[in-house]
Amino acid sequence: MEILLHICCGPCSIYPVTVLKDKGFLIRGFFFNPNIHPFLELERRIIALETVSNVLDFPVIWDTQYGLKDWLDTLDGKLDFNDRCLPCYAIRLEETAKMAVKLGIKTISTTLLYSKYQRHDKILEIGNKSAFQHGLEFYYEDFRQGWQKGIEASLELGIYRQPYCGCIFSEAERYSKRMNRLMKRLEKKNNFLENPRMKEA
Ligand code: SF4
């Protein structure tokens, strides 16, 4: 059976692709992630997935746009973690469903189901909804059970492993402690502004 597998990145694709192949699925990957910023990060993740698709021998359909603006338009100013992730899943799975219809593929799924850091139940709910609206099946499996195997395989391949989810907001959250330390250090440097002698000068 053919499946259109939405792929968020190379490391997250290894375990699901291996499992689906073992189950006899004919896989076509679909890289559509307007949520990945900045551009150099997107480029690194694309190169990592190119390596995985060559090694595991499956084709990938690539989104050829840098979707930052469209992604921000979709969120419409809802940038908090609780607001932004669900539309972020939805635009990616909706686009996957549309692509599957175009290709005549009846089943879709996503490597987002591999991540321990994503909202698994919501991905399932949104995936089912998008598939249903387009007359497709959403293939569900809890790929998180292969978390460690996927990490080890990606380290063996030596591919880029990203330190944050994808959007610029997740990058800021990932480094929030480091950012706070830096800002405090700079605030101390600015203390001379409070020095009365400096004010007189
Ligand atoms: S944290 Fe990840 S899932 Fe959530 S909005 Fe950012 S890129 Fe999308």
Side-chain angles (χ1 to χ4, degrees), residues 5-185:
L5 179 67
H6 165 260
I7 296 179
C8 57
C9 64
C12 288
S13 70
I14 298 174
Y15 182 77
V17 166
T18 308
V19 167
L20 291 169
K21 276 192 159 198
D22 285 350
K23 291 191 170 171
F25 281 99
L26 191 60
I27 299 170
R28 271 203 246 181
F30 181 44
F31 185 86
F32 177 80
N33 300 289
N35 55 310
I36 299 172
H37 332 128
F39 171 73
L40 289 181
E41 179 69 20
L42 178 69
E43 186 180 45
R44 283 188 202 109
R45 296 190 194 193
I46 287 172
I47 291 168
L49 179 55
E50 282 179 318
T51 302
V52 176
S53 75
N54 287 336
V55 172
L56 296 184
D57 193 22
F58 65 96
V60 176
I61 299 160
W62 303 95
D63 173 33
T64 54
Q65 307 293 317
Y66 176 43
L68 172 61
K69 187 176 176 306
D70 288 345
W71 185 81
L72 287 170
D73 285 348
T74 303
L75 297 195
D76 197 21
K78 298 188 186 94
L79 304 177
D80 281 351
F81 175 72
N82 282 327
D83 292 328
R84 69 174 191 253
C85 294
L86 304 192
C88 181
Y89 300 150
I91 51 171
R92 291 186 277 169
L93 294 173
E94 179 63 16
E95 202 61 29
T96 306
K98 285 184 190 163
M99 181 57 78
V101 170
K102 214 185 269 181
L103 298 170
I105 297 174
K106 298 284 178 213
T107 307
I108 60 170
S109 192
T110 175
T111 58
L112 291 168
L113 293 170
Y114 165 81
S115 174
K116 279 186 172 179
Y117 299 113
Q118 303 294 347
R119 297 160 80 176
H120 200 86
D121 294 351
K122 291 294 175 190
I123 294 164
L124 174 59
E125 190 183 307
I126 292 168
N128 271 331
K129 191 174 161 200
S130 280
F132 179 77
Q133 281 172 346
H134 292 274
L136 307 169
E137 289 282 325
F138 182 73
Y139 177 87
Y140 173 75
E141 182 159 338
D142 189 350
F143 294 121
R144 291 174 298 185
Q145 49 193 302
W147 179 249
Q148 195 52 36
K149 281 186 184 166
I151 291 174
E152 285 162 15
S154 65
L155 290 171
E156 262 175 44
L157 284 180
I159 56 172
Y160 173 67
R161 293 179 47 78
Q162 62 271 12
Y164 64 95
C165 186
C167 61
I168 43 174
F169 305 102
S170 63
E171 196 255 11
E173 286 157 7
R174 167 74 175 73
Y175 294 112
S176 61
K177 283 188 185 152
R178 185 166 157 181
M179 196 162 56
N180 288 339
R181 279 199 300 274
L182 174 67
M183 296 310 163
K184 285 216 168 72
R185 187 158 69 76

